[in-house]
Amino acid sequence: TALFSATDAWTPRLRSAVPDHGRTLEIGGSDAPKLAASDGALELASDERIARDALPLAGSHNAVNALFALTAARTLGVSLAT
């Protein structure tokens, strides 16, 4: 699985390099996984949120990096309880 930023201008070009059998996932677009516009919570799925204050990180860019890391872990089968 290749993870891409929904807001990066390079995403379309990089996504086109993924083999047809590969899975891609965009992060930070209108659908989860994304940062919630209302409160900055990390939305991993439609029914799973992590409150922004649960991750005391400075700046939204660090929250997005955490979102990428959590999504990668989830893709590999790691649960939040681990």
Side-chain angles (χ1 to χ4, degrees):
T1 301
L3 305 178
F4 295 103
S5 171
T7 61
D8 191 314
W10 281 89
T11 292
R13 181 179 285 181
L14 294 171
R15 177 178 263 172
S16 70
V18 175
D20 290 337
H21 63 276
R23 179 175 175 235
T24 63
L25 183 61
E26 280 192 12
I27 295 175
S30 58
D31 297 323
K34 66 179 182 176
L35 294 180
S38 60
D39 60 3
L42 283 69
E43 294 184 357
L44 297 174
S46 59
D47 62 344
E48 185 174 29
R49 294 170 47 98
I50 298 173
R52 181 67 179 89
D53 58 1
L55 293 171
L57 301 170
S60 62
H61 63 286
N62 285 321
V64 171
N65 288 342
L67 189 57
F68 267 91
L70 288 166
T71 302
R74 268 299 164 75
T75 301
L76 295 171
V78 178
S79 72
L80 285 178
T82 303

